[in-house]
Amino acid sequence: MKVSCITLGCRTNQHDTAEMQTLLEKEGFVMVGQREKADAYVINTCTVTQKSDTSSRQAVKKSLALNPDALVIFTGCYAQLNPEEAAELQGLDVVLGNADKLEIANLLKSKLLNGPWQKSDATEIVMSDIHRKRIFRTIPVKNFQGMTKAFIKVQTGCDEKCSFCTVVRARGKSISDQRENILSNVQEAINTGFKEITLTGINLGTWGMDTGETFSSLVKDIMQLPGDFRVRLSSINPMEIDNDLIRLIAESEKICSHLHIPLQSGDNGVLQRMRRNYKREQYIDVVHRAVDAIPNLGLGADVIVGFPGETDSAFENTRKLIEELPFSYLHVFCYSPRRGTEANDYKDDVPGNIKKERNKILTQLVAEKGLEFKNKFLNKTATVLIENQRDRKSGKLKGHTDNYIPISLDGPDPLKNSLTPITLQKISGDNVEGCVLS
């Protein structure tokens, strides 16, 4: 039986999909690509924006276009938050909750291996209580959908109360994996041959807060594992970045000089309405401490424009902050109301055309800052993880430096999945072209 997994959204979702694939392969199912005909499609959804919802629904249609008779399972955060709505999607067979993902193999066996499978008009909803007290469950993974990087989930859930965010309802309260299990999973990935380990979680830096430990102490232990690898941190909130973590990144060649620190807004009034747990001054302080300590730091952030109550002056505060801080890239989003959130009850008082204009202003600004950042490294050498897949258009090898500059280069296939010294030569679009250091 052939199964295809489609993943939308965050790196935690990518890890969840890899876990499901591992369980399915152990039971004899054959994994195929998302554009191939399969007996079953598992769609791991995202609901962070309205666009994410749309993409999740479209994935059902695309799967059924490949095989109208396939078993289609809808899981992830969209499924968790809107199970009844999801169950109305034509051709969908099962809605599976986030807390039930590791039951995927048993579910498919019961559906596909107990006689001929026939689709029904009724959609089954399998949904445990995500908010009940639970034990962190994760398993070792050896394959991440053909990716060159391993994503290791160390934490899930979130205890913050951001007014715009659906994560608490979709993922439950924050809970940490055990240190020993994480170290075992990381070592397994290293032994499998992964050269870059990305630590991920819904609120990554809160790992250990429920057990009296610190995230920086976990990172330090990972650094001491044997093997040829480097570690990248996924998105981490500003108030979880302590001096110990900054020192580790600054002093260890095994940790990528890259931080993605969500900003959302540079205006204190908007941050308060968002119920973020920091002020702009605290964000600036964290960034300055990191930049001063970590050589060549690549700095990214998420920003929401057009949040209810964002006046022209509030937006200008955000623009100025971004202009003043050394960001190398940004992810800019126009605010869209999400059902079930506090902000959904706010008056969405920023017109759509104003949101788009503010998005354009910040996008252009960070494009200039990104170009300035890349220029600093031209004619210098950096270590690049060469990915398994070549660029579709150019056919060139591709990868990222440790500070997250995208690289393209000519070279042979044996360079794939290697940490290779590359000389950065010239900027070409969003990438920097390089060559192997001779």
Side-chain angles (χ1 to χ4, degrees):
M1 289 286 184
K2 295 180 180 180
V3 181
S4 174
C5 289
I6 298 98
T7 309
L8 299 99
C10 65
R11 289 172 174 175
T12 300
N13 250 15
Q14 291 173 351
H15 179 274
D16 291 349
T17 295
E19 285 188 315
M20 289 190 287
Q21 287 182 318
T22 298
L23 292 169
L24 289 166
E25 287 173 337
K26 284 183 178 179
E27 296 297 333
F29 291 97
V30 177
M31 307 309 302
V32 299
Q34 65 184 47
R35 296 181 180 87
E36 296 182 47
K37 184 176 181 180
D39 300 290
Y41 293 90
V42 180
I43 302 167
N44 196 3
T45 64
C46 175
T47 189
V48 70
T49 64
Q50 290 178 355
K51 185 177 180 180
S52 303
D53 286 353
T54 300
S55 297
S56 297
R57 291 190 294 266
Q58 287 175 341
V60 177
K61 293 181 180 179
K62 291 178 181 178
S63 298
L64 289 169
L66 293 168
N67 183 4
D69 299 319
L71 169 66
V72 182
I73 297 175
F74 206 65
T75 188
C77 290
Y78 185 145
Q80 180 69 41
L81 290 183
N82 305 291
E84 289 80 14
E85 176 186 295
E88 296 297 318
L89 293 173
Q90 188 173 358
L92 191 61
D93 300 294
V94 181
V95 178
L96 184 68
N98 271 332
D100 307 284
K101 285 178 176 177
L102 295 188
E103 299 302 319
I104 187 69
N106 292 330
L107 178 62
L108 261 67
K109 284 196 298 182
S110 69
K111 298 290 184 184
L112 297 177
L113 303 183
N114 290 335
W117 159 253
Q118 283 190 322
K119 294 183 78 69
S120 162
D121 291 336
T123 301
E124 181 181 359
I125 297 177
V126 179
M127 189 77 54
S128 299
D129 183 2
I130 196 75
H131 300 291
R132 72 183 180 190
K133 189 174 181 180
R134 56 205 164 109
I135 298 173
F136 194 104
R137 298 176 65 199
T138 188
I139 61 172
V141 174
K142 294 184 178 181
N143 186 1
F144 292 84
Q145 292 186 287
M147 292 184 178
T148 320
K149 307 167 187 176
F151 297 91
I152 304 297
K153 183 171 66 174
V154 305
Q155 175 275 345
T156 192
C158 184
D159 293 336
E160 302 298 337
K161 299 292 188 292
C162 298
S163 63
F164 58 85
C165 186
T166 60
V167 166
V168 174
R169 292 170 52 234
R171 291 281 183 171
K173 291 185 176 296
S174 179
I175 183 171
S176 305
D177 195 1
Q178 296 179 357
R179 184 187 298 260
E180 295 75 14
N181 194 49
I182 295 168
L183 294 175
S184 175
N185 288 344
V186 172
Q187 189 66 67
E188 180 76 21
I190 296 167
N191 294 344
T192 300
F194 287 100
K195 302 297 184 182
E196 183 170 302
I197 311 296
T198 299
L199 302 183
T200 185
I202 296 301
N203 194 357
L204 179 66
T206 62
W207 178 91
M209 287 187 179
D210 52 339
T211 58
E213 302 170 275
T214 64
F215 179 62
S216 55
S217 71
L218 172 66
V219 175
K220 184 176 181 180
D221 281 356
I222 292 172
M223 291 303 96
Q224 296 172 355
L225 294 174
D228 178 25
F229 70 99
R230 69 186 188 188
V231 170
R232 190 178 300 278
L233 307 182
S234 61
S235 178
I236 182 168
N237 282 315
M239 302 313 291
E240 276 75 64
I241 300 174
D242 60 19
N243 287 332
D244 288 338
L245 183 61
I246 291 173
R247 190 179 307 112
L248 279 171
I249 300 172
E251 295 177 355
S252 175
E253 292 184 357
K254 280 195 170 183
I255 311 180
C256 293
S257 299
H258 170 218
L259 285 170
H260 185 97
I261 312 174
L263 171 63
Q264 310 307 1
S265 175
D267 179 80
N268 281 336
V270 174
L271 287 171
Q272 185 176 19
R273 286 174 66 80
M274 288 179 167
R275 298 201 181 279
R276 299 293 285 175
N277 66 349
Y278 54 87
K279 295 182 178 180
R280 62 176 277 138
E281 294 80 9
Q282 292 171 297
Y283 188 96
I284 292 170
D285 175 66
V286 170
V287 169
H288 282 166
R289 283 190 283 116
V291 170
D292 289 345
I294 304 169
N296 304 325
L297 178 69
L299 179 66
D302 304 314
V303 180
I304 297 173
V305 295
F307 190 79
E310 185 186 62
T311 61
D312 288 344
S313 62
F315 172 71
E316 180 61 13
N317 285 337
T318 298
R319 192 200 64 79
K320 283 182 178 178
L321 187 148
I322 292 168
E323 185 176 55
E324 292 168 2
L325 294 180
F327 290 107
S328 51
Y329 70 93
L330 287 179
H331 297 155
V332 185
F333 303 92
C334 294
Y335 171 74
S336 60
R338 312 304 294 136
R339 284 177 297 171
T341 64
E342 180 184 345
N344 194 53
D345 297 328
Y346 297 169
K347 183 181 179 183
D348 189 10
D349 56 358
V350 181
N353 63 317
I354 299 297
K355 292 178 183 178
K356 290 180 181 178
E357 180 61 24
R358 291 175 181 176
N359 189 315
K360 182 179 178 181
I361 289 170
L362 295 188
T363 299
Q364 290 177 339
L365 172 60
V366 80
E368 295 169 5
K369 295 178 75 69
L371 188 63
E372 179 183 345
F373 181 75
K374 292 168 186 170
N375 267 313
K376 291 195 303 182
F377 299 96
L378 292 182
N379 302 314
K380 295 182 180 179
T381 300
T383 300
V384 175
L385 175 66
I386 308 297
E387 298 180 10
N388 287 329
Q389 301 296 324
R390 290 179 177 268
D391 182 79
R392 287 184 181 178
K393 292 183 179 179
S394 68
K396 292 186 176 184
L397 295 173
K398 60 180 181 177
H400 285 83
T401 63
D402 77 313
N403 58 355
Y404 212 58
I405 296 174
I407 302 295
S408 63
L409 69 150
D410 293 312
D413 283 352
L415 287 175
K416 292 179 179 179
N417 192 38
S418 68
L419 292 169
T420 303
I422 300 294
T423 300
L424 281 62
Q425 295 178 307
K426 68 175 182 177
I427 297 172
S428 177
D430 293 331
N431 295 341
V432 175
E433 292 185 9
C435 67
V436 178
L437 183 64
S438 56

